[in-house]
Amino acid sequence: MNLKNTFTLLFFIVTVFTIGLNAQSKKEIRKQKALIKKEKKLEQLKNPSWLKIKNNIGYFTDNKDTYVESVSMESKSEQVNKFVNRDEFYKNKPSVGTYVLEKKIIQVALFKLELNKLEIRIESSCSGGYRGFTTLIVYQKDLENLRKVNNIEKFQRGYKNTPLNFYKQIELAVKSLCF
């Protein structure tokens, strides 16, 4: 074997080895970035800006005017009409906004273990120009039940479980807004 062939073979081996190391490090860099992103999201879930805590009691306001549940096949005019005829909208869909509210309550239950009670003011604009509101109180027993049927990993992936009797409490509170 001549020197030129040996040098070419050695250069090829070094190049392949270097490319392999770079590919490995890129994977590691991607994993580190994903881990950092996951930790940042977890920190945001642990400290929500909308939750106020005083004497181991959590407080927040859920404003139904800020979100609308819509089906992808709805036209924009139908979505706008929901805002105009809010009372009719609630009569037809009593569970409007319960998904967001459930998610917030489960988040508090999973990440704020020190809370004994949670007081939620649910409010919405009603026809006739008045503002309807109700208060939902979540006691420690309900928070513990939510912790039993949910976990942080599944919650981060978008899964949530709400016991039926507790869901009925949420639904009743939302139904009583504008009536």
Side-chain angles (χ1 to χ4, degrees):
M1 215 174 178
N2 64 17
L3 187 61
K4 185 176 178 184
N5 288 344
T6 306
F7 181 73
T8 306
L9 182 62
L10 183 61
F11 179 76
F12 178 75
I13 292 172
V14 169
T15 305
V16 169
F17 183 72
T18 305
I19 290 172
L21 285 179
N22 283 340
Q24 178 104 15
S25 65
K26 285 181 183 179
K27 283 182 182 179
E28 289 174 4
I29 289 171
R30 272 189 249 127
K31 283 182 182 180
Q32 287 175 346
K33 284 183 179 180
L35 183 61
I36 290 170
K37 186 176 179 181
K38 186 176 180 180
E39 287 174 1
K40 187 176 180 181
K41 179 72 174 168
L42 187 62
E43 194 61 36
Q44 288 175 340
L45 289 172
K46 286 181 182 178
N47 300 309
S49 60
W50 42 264
L51 179 68
K52 307 297 179 230
I53 299 174
K54 185 177 179 181
N55 298 330
N56 289 341
I57 300 175
Y59 302 91
F60 72 89
T61 300
D62 184 57
N63 187 350
K64 296 292 175 217
D65 295 338
T66 60
Y67 44 86
V68 172
E69 289 184 6
S70 62
V71 180
S72 62
M73 299 301 286
E74 277 183 334
S75 70
K76 291 291 181 187
S77 62
E78 289 173 322
Q79 292 175 11
V80 169
N81 194 32
K82 287 179 183 178
F83 282 116
V84 175
N85 299 321
R86 183 158 295 278
D87 284 346
E88 195 61 35
F89 182 45
Y90 277 121
K91 287 177 188 170
N92 294 333
K93 291 190 174 186
S95 65
V96 142
T98 58
Y99 178 81
V100 175
L101 183 57
E102 280 179 86
K103 189 175 174 185
K104 285 182 176 182
I105 294 170
I106 293 170
Q107 178 180 349
V108 170
L110 290 174
F111 293 100
K112 296 296 183 183
L113 302 176
E114 72 274 8
L115 293 183
N116 298 328
K117 186 167 71 169
L118 183 60
E119 292 184 18
I120 307 157
R121 179 183 168 102
I122 305 170
E123 52 187 46
S124 177
S125 296
C126 301
S127 65
Y130 75 94
R131 191 137 180 88
F133 71 91
T134 187
T135 302
L136 175 65
I137 298 175
V138 183
Y139 293 100
Q140 188 170 10
K141 182 181 177 185
D142 293 322
L143 291 171
E144 290 170 0
N145 287 339
L146 286 169
R147 289 180 191 121
K148 286 179 185 176
V149 297
N150 291 284
N151 67 46
I152 293 172
E153 292 79 26
K154 286 185 179 180
F155 182 77
Q156 285 182 304
R157 289 184 298 206
Y159 298 106
K160 63 177 184 51
N161 292 315
T162 306
L164 184 60
N165 61 347
F166 184 67
Y167 179 79
K168 292 293 183 186
Q169 287 177 329
I170 295 171
E171 195 173 46
L172 184 62
V174 171
K175 279 183 183 180
S176 68
L177 277 173
C178 292
F179 300 105

